[in-house]
Structures are given as structure tokens and as C-alpha cells.
Amino acid sequence: MKATKGVLLSVYGAYSEANFDEYERLLMDEGYVVAQASVRGSRAKGWPWYRAGRGVSKPVGISDYLACAAYVRHELHLPKTFAYGQSAGGLIAAAALNENPQLFDAAILDYPFLDALGISLDSLLPLTSLEYPEWGYPDRPAELQALQAYSPYQNIKAQAYPPILMLGGLYDLQTPYWQIMKAAARYRALQTNDAPVLLHLGRNYHPGNIPYRTRIREMTYQYLFLEYVLSHQQ
């Protein structure tokens, strides 16, 4: 039996509840614990739970994730805690990193939605107006204020972030590559320690529309990133 290496704390927190996939089974086979943080904003506990974390209330999903991370880190006493968020979950994970980076030993932001504010202010972008109920209407003062407070890109600040791996696709219209690139540049500019901020961009669309072999390769990159972090944090 393999020794436990740490826990990958996965989050989605929007639209529906994420499922386990091949990547997570690979990690479990290699000694990682995989946990799903069912924060408000997802449908893990029905429609009221979903509506409680939408729009102006989106920050409660972030605080839920931080509470889960604090519990895992301080109560379960597992060796390492790794943040993981894909797409909408990338927003939750990145916002949590901004608020309390010390809770995490590393983070994987997988095709993340990082510039919620900037994208919401540009109604000409694909999907923007359809997404207002999820993230907030920028023409409503209270919802604009909430967007400004939690949108990950705008809230990256000078502090010690853990190692971060970011992935994106050049043809992705749901989480455009340029908002991931500028977030990576901002992390690197404001990082106060020597932890790496790595970025991988493929000629891909959004997850779910990526060829299987290509996606498996990206999952391998994520696994190798975690192994790299473990080897350098002993």
C-alpha cells in the first residue's frame, strides 16, 4: 500500500457538480487522496444550495472552499494540500489562493476563469451576457462591487503564493487563453518567493472538446507537477 502523499482538493462551484475522472483515479493509484469540495454555487445539495452561491453571493462559495481547505490542512493532518479548479472551479480556487495562499502547498488552475470582471464588462465576447446570472450583472452596483472583490485576476497581490500550474487552450472561447496568460504574468510579477508559476497553452478548445490523447497528456503534466512539488518540499 502506497503512503499518502497529500490531498487534491477539487472544486467547481457552478452550474452542476463535477464528477471524478481518469486523472483523479491515476492520482489515487499513485498515493494521493482526491476530495471534492461541494461549495455553495454547485447543485451538490439541490437548487437552494446552488442559488446561494450565484451572482452577488458568489463569494460564499470561495469562503466555503477556504473552510474545506482549512479543515483538510488542520484537522486531517495529511502531508500536503493541493488546490485544484477547472473552468469555473478555477475561479474559486484562484480566489481562495488570493485570500489565503498559506493553506495550499500548490495549485493547479485547469483552463480557469480568472478575469470574471473584465469579461463581464465586455458584452461583445461570446457567452458574456448568458453568464450574467452566474457571476453578476456589472450594471448593478452591488453585483459589480462583488465582482471587483472576488475576480481573481484583479485581486492578485504581492504575497507568497505556492507553486502554480496553469493550463489553457488557444481556441477556448469559454475561458480565453489571454486572461490566463495575463494572470500568469501578474502572479510572476507579484510573487514574493521563488515558487514557480508555470503555464501550458495547447492548440485546444475547452475541456470536453479536447481529443482524448491530448487531454491525457495534459493530465500527465499535472501529475508530474505535483510530483515536482513534493520532491522540492521535502
Side-chain angles (χ1 to χ4, degrees):
M1 181 176 179
K2 293 181 182 292
T4 299
K5 295 177 178 178
V7 59
L8 186 80
L9 185 60
S10 178
V11 65
Y12 191 64
Y15 314 117
S16 61
E17 192 62 14
N19 298 314
F20 288 100
D21 59 23
E22 295 95 332
Y23 167 60
E24 290 162 336
R25 287 196 289 271
L26 164 67
L27 291 180
M28 288 186 279
D29 287 343
E30 292 300 317
Y32 293 89
V33 173
V34 177
Q36 181 76 41
S38 297
V39 303
R40 282 171 287 183
S42 73
R43 294 208 298 267
K45 295 187 177 181
W47 289 106
W49 191 255
Y50 171 56
R51 289 190 290 269
R54 297 184 83 204
V56 72
S57 298
K58 181 57 68 176
V60 303
I62 300 163
S63 61
D64 286 349
Y65 185 62
L66 285 167
C68 290
Y71 176 81
V72 167
R73 190 171 188 90
H74 301 307
E75 301 296 331
L76 299 186
H77 306 296
L78 294 170
K80 301 289 181 182
T81 303
F82 306 112
Y84 176 85
Q86 182 188 109
S87 192
L91 180 145
I92 299 288
L97 279 178
N98 285 337
E99 289 194 31
N100 193 346
Q102 290 76 29
L103 277 178
F104 305 98
D105 295 288
I108 297 174
L109 306 178
D110 191 11
Y111 290 73
F113 184 42
L114 298 177
D115 189 7
L117 176 62
I119 288 177
S120 294
L121 290 172
D122 189 347
S123 60
L124 297 179
L125 289 172
L127 306 179
T128 292
S129 59
L130 296 175
E131 294 288 301
Y132 285 154
E134 189 67 41
W135 310 108
Y137 290 80
D139 59 347
R140 299 175 182 176
E143 298 190 27
L144 176 60
Q145 185 177 10
L147 266 169
Q148 291 171 326
Y150 77 74
S151 183
Y153 170 71
Q154 285 75 17
N155 289 284
I156 298 170
K157 52 184 175 287
Q159 60 181 337
Y161 287 95
I164 300 172
L165 172 63
M166 310 170 73
L167 297 98
L170 292 175
Y171 307 130
D172 186 354
L173 298 180
Q174 292 172 254
T175 55
Y177 75 91
W178 46 262
Q179 46 108 46
I180 302 172
M181 289 185 69
K182 70 180 187 178
R186 189 169 175 85
Y187 279 123
R188 290 167 179 168
L190 296 178
Q191 176 71 290
T192 62
N193 60 25
D194 59 357
V197 177
L198 306 177
L199 172 64
H200 172 76
L201 289 177
R203 295 181 179 276
N204 304 323
Y205 296 90
H206 200 66
N209 297 295
I210 299 174
Y212 181 78
R213 289 181 180 272
T214 301
R215 188 59 180 153
I216 286 294
R217 188 180 305 117
E218 291 183 340
M219 292 174 179
T220 304
Y221 296 157
Q222 296 177 42
Y223 165 70
L224 292 175
F225 169 72
L226 294 178
E227 292 289 300
Y228 166 84
V229 169
L230 288 175
S231 70
H232 285 73
Q233 291 185 354
Q234 297 297 334

